[in-house]
Amino acid sequence: MSIREDFLKNRSLGDVFTVDHHTHCGGVGVFRSESDYAVVQQELIRLDIDVGIVSNVCTYDIPNAGNDMVQQIAEASNGRIFGQIFLRAGDEAGYEEEIDRRVKSGVFTGIKLHPVIENRDIDDPFYCKVCGIAGELGYPVLFHTWGLRDMGIIADVAKKCPKTVIFIGHCGGELDASLRAGELAAQYDNLYLDFTCTRGYANLLEYYVKTASAEKILFGSDANWNSVTSSLGRVLFADLTDAEMRLILGGNARRLYPKLQGKA
Amino acid sequence: MKLIDCNTRVGRTQAPISPLVTPTADALLQRMDVCGVSYAFCRHDAGREQGPRDGDARIIEICAAKPRLKPVLTVTPLIREDLGGMETFLTRAKACNAAALRIYPKGMGFSAAPYAMEEIAEIAETLSVPVMVDMAEIEAETIANLAKTFPRMNMIVTEIYYRNLRNLCPIFRHCDNLYLETGMLKTFHSLEDLCSLYGAERLVFGSGAPYQDMGAAVAHLLAADICDDEKELIASGNIKRLCGGLQI
């Protein structure tokens, strides 16, 4: 039975190793969403998603409080949830200590940067410094990106930090940016596609596999903002082989996130 | 479970929407097969680009040749000027078994205020079909005014971006004749929350294909954490009811 057939029969992913590498915790002020991450965790379990990776980009007024929340969630999850260290350029003081502290906790496996909410560019000197450290640690960096302009800038950062694995968050968001993101992922060894697409452009995943290969794509949902089931459908109903789906759903995440290596 | 996709389209647009999509009926039907969608309500983009007469003629012809596609006719408030008058339009709509009416107030540059929509409401009621409109085409305020002024006109708001729920929920609470299409309604747990708050009767399955991914819409519904009876309503039961007991 194919992965898609299995999903249609059981409405879950069964034994396919799956990682949702783009989830959030914390409340969202600008639209209605679920603020309790326990509901997201239940959803991951219900759908047989093996691992969730979470960041908190919403707690902006108390530095590092978001990372505290993520750490608590991850520590209580029995290895099902890992964190991304969220760093703000606006809270630059002590960021190296913050990275060190979270790495030592053992439950963080990547870094999340969100230039848009800070009204900065991806190549802000702070983000470049963080990317450099991430490369040394072997931690991938998930950049929120939106729009074609971001694609030009993220390519520059990828060139400057060749040792750092960089995920193009939301594949650039807008369609023209998403198409460009595929070309960039093909061009740069360290650029990967975060297939957490807020907009559900048809045939985009097939385009990515053809342009950049299935090895450059990671599944994510954006829960607690966006739906996990809808995001899964974009992979499961794509015109791909099961081997390609396995890479996208979890195989690539296992290879790229240090805490996931060896997970089955 | 039979799936009826209430929101699909065919036909090229002046400015191509996506280089990844071929907006033909054959491509749409192929995708429906992959996703297990039995029928689709379908509009022709010529209706908006070149006017309703042209678009409607094209979608009627396509659907006549492809029985799994059901025609959605484009209308404007200028029934006499754009569409040959009420009787002519009703005759055409009945002859082709029109499944729904579609309006584009912003795209086609007209007001959807109640004073302009009287005839469309009358047509919708006479034909027992819903009026559909994309969220990007209309203000929430106008939706509320229409739903309140024409309580027997059923409206389906389509292509609802995940940030729109705060706008729509208050209208939804007060207007029983308002329905939401599920395709882009993909805020986390949106189906579960809306079913629990307002009932599954208020949601209709749609995808926004071919530009939006049909597989995402299908998985969103089939794997939702709601009971099978609720899924059946959303998948096909509600749209059949809204179309006067549509037999397909």
Side-chain angles (χ1 to χ4, degrees):
Chain A
M1 194 181 287
S2 71
I3 294 173
R4 184 190 303 152
E5 288 165 345
D6 197 26
F7 178 80
L8 283 169
K9 187 177 174 201
N10 299 309
R11 311 285 156 85
S12 63
L13 288 153
D15 65 353
V16 180
F17 179 72
T18 306
V19 178
D20 185 341
H21 94 123
H22 191 147
T23 74
H24 296 287
C25 61
V28 184
V30 292
F31 61 94
R32 185 176 181 281
S33 189
E34 175 59 59
S35 60
D36 183 357
Y37 193 76
V39 181
V40 176
Q41 282 183 270
Q42 284 162 15
E43 183 79 336
L44 300 182
I45 291 167
R46 187 176 73 84
L47 296 167
D48 280 334
I49 292 175
D50 300 271
V51 175
I53 300 181
V54 59
S55 65
N56 184 336
V57 302
C58 297
T59 310
Y60 63 92
D61 52 347
I62 308 167
N64 307 322
N67 291 335
D68 287 340
M69 183 191 283
V70 167
Q71 187 167 330
Q72 283 167 17
I73 289 168
E75 284 173 344
S77 75
N78 289 324
R80 183 175 277 271
I81 305 294
F82 291 91
Q84 283 156 334
I85 307 164
F86 177 59
L87 297 163
R88 295 172 53 89
D91 299 326
E92 185 168 358
Y95 78 97
E96 287 167 299
E97 291 78 6
E98 175 66 4
I99 292 173
D100 190 49
R101 185 158 70 104
R102 301 302 174 183
V103 169
K104 282 183 178 150
S105 77
V107 293
F108 285 82
T109 193
I111 289 175
K112 170 73 185 234
L113 299 172
H114 201 312
V116 170
I117 56 175
E118 293 199 273
N119 203 18
R120 297 190 186 225
D121 280 330
I122 291 167
D123 62 352
D124 184 281
F126 174 75
Y127 300 143
C128 290
K129 282 190 285 188
V130 170
C131 280
I133 294 171
E136 296 303 321
L137 287 169
Y139 272 33
V141 176
L142 172 56
F143 264 112
H144 176 94
T145 68
W146 207 264
L148 198 52
R149 183 171 174 274
D150 278 357
M151 295 305 98
I153 305 174
I154 205 165
D156 289 340
V157 175
K159 261 187 275 184
K160 279 182 202 159
C161 305
K163 285 171 69 178
T164 310
V165 167
I166 295 174
F167 301 130
I168 305 174
H170 304 280
C171 296
E174 303 290 350
L175 181 59
D176 54 359
S178 297
L179 297 173
R180 181 73 184 126
E183 294 168 355
L184 292 175
Q187 193 177 340
Y188 294 94
D189 288 344
N190 59 332
L191 273 184
Y192 289 78
L193 296 158
D194 162 40
F195 198 65
T196 301
C197 301
T198 308
R199 306 270 167 84
Y201 306 118
N203 307 325
L204 186 62
L205 189 55
E206 291 89 337
Y207 163 78
Y208 283 153
V209 170
K210 197 173 159 191
T211 309
S213 97
E215 296 190 353
K216 300 298 289 278
I217 307 162
L218 285 84
F219 163 74
S221 71
D222 209 17
N224 59 350
W225 296 31
N226 276 306
S227 150
V228 182
T229 50
S230 172
S231 305
L232 272 179
R234 300 197 63 206
V235 179
L236 300 175
F237 286 92
D239 186 14
L240 304 179
T241 65
D242 273 12
E244 288 165 334
M245 283 189 200
R246 283 180 192 277
L247 282 171
I248 295 163
L249 288 170
N252 294 330
R254 177 163 47 200
R255 190 176 75 246
L256 295 168
Y257 279 104
K259 297 289 173 194
L260 305 192
Q261 284 154 13
K263 268 206 174 268
Chain B
M1 184 175 298
K2 183 181 281 184
L3 288 163
I4 301 175
D5 186 337
C6 80
N7 183 27
T8 73
R9 57 207 276 195
V10 293
R12 292 173 62 183
T13 50
Q14 298 269 16
I17 296 171
S18 169
L20 305 176
V21 168
T22 309
T24 63
D26 285 336
L28 180 62
L29 285 161
Q30 213 170 18
R31 186 68 181 143
M32 287 164 63
D33 288 338
V34 171
C35 295
V37 171
S38 304
Y39 297 94
F41 285 22
C42 191
R43 53 181 148 146
H44 199 295
D45 270 316
R48 191 192 54 206
E49 301 269 330
Q50 292 165 237
R53 275 201 212 199
D54 193 5
D56 292 352
R58 292 195 199 193
I59 197 62
I60 289 168
E61 188 184 345
I62 288 169
C63 293
K66 315 274 187 194
R68 289 170 64 198
L69 303 182
K70 304 298 171 190
V72 174
L73 303 185
T74 301
V75 291
T76 75
L78 280 69
I79 301 298
R80 187 174 53 181
E81 299 87 341
D82 278 344
L83 292 157
M86 179 82 89
E87 285 311 310
T88 304
F89 181 78
L90 283 173
T91 303
R92 192 187 312 140
K94 283 176 187 167
C96 73
N97 289 318
L101 306 177
R102 164 73 63 173
I103 57 170
Y104 303 92
K106 287 188 182 168
M108 297 181 77
F110 61 80
S111 168
Y115 73 85
M117 289 286 290
E118 278 180 356
E119 282 189 307
I120 290 177
E122 192 182 332
I123 290 171
E125 198 185 329
T126 306
L127 295 172
S128 285
V129 297
V131 173
M132 304 175 82
V133 61
D134 283 350
M135 189 67 205
E137 286 281 342
I138 195 164
E139 301 299 327
E141 205 66 33
T142 311
I143 296 172
N145 286 337
L146 284 174
K148 280 182 185 168
T149 309
F150 304 114
R152 285 184 292 187
M153 177 179 80
N154 291 313
M155 288 182 69
I156 301 174
V157 181
T158 51
E159 309 212 352
I160 301 159
Y161 192 47
Y162 77 113
R163 296 182 179 226
N164 294 135
L165 281 182
R166 279 219 170 107
N167 256 333
L168 287 169
C169 284
I171 313 172
F172 214 47
R173 214 161 44 219
H174 294 293
C175 302
D176 292 341
N177 54 336
L178 182 68
Y179 298 82
L180 306 183
E181 181 242 342
T182 58
M184 284 174 68
L185 190 61
K186 54 189 180 63
T187 316
F188 180 75
H189 260 216
S190 56
L191 297 189
E192 290 84 347
D193 287 350
L194 288 165
C195 283
S196 132
L197 289 166
Y198 309 110
E201 294 80 6
R202 309 291 299 280
L203 302 173
V204 287
F205 170 72
S207 68
Y211 299 106
Q212 297 295 320
D213 188 68
M214 190 179 273
V218 169
H220 189 35
L221 174 60
L222 295 184
D225 194 10
I226 55 178
C227 71
D228 283 349
D229 288 347
E230 291 174 310
K231 287 181 190 175
E232 291 278 2
L233 282 173
I234 299 168
S236 62
N238 293 334
I239 195 69
K240 284 184 180 175
R241 192 181 69 246
L242 291 175
C243 294
L246 181 70
Q247 296 297 315
I248 48 178

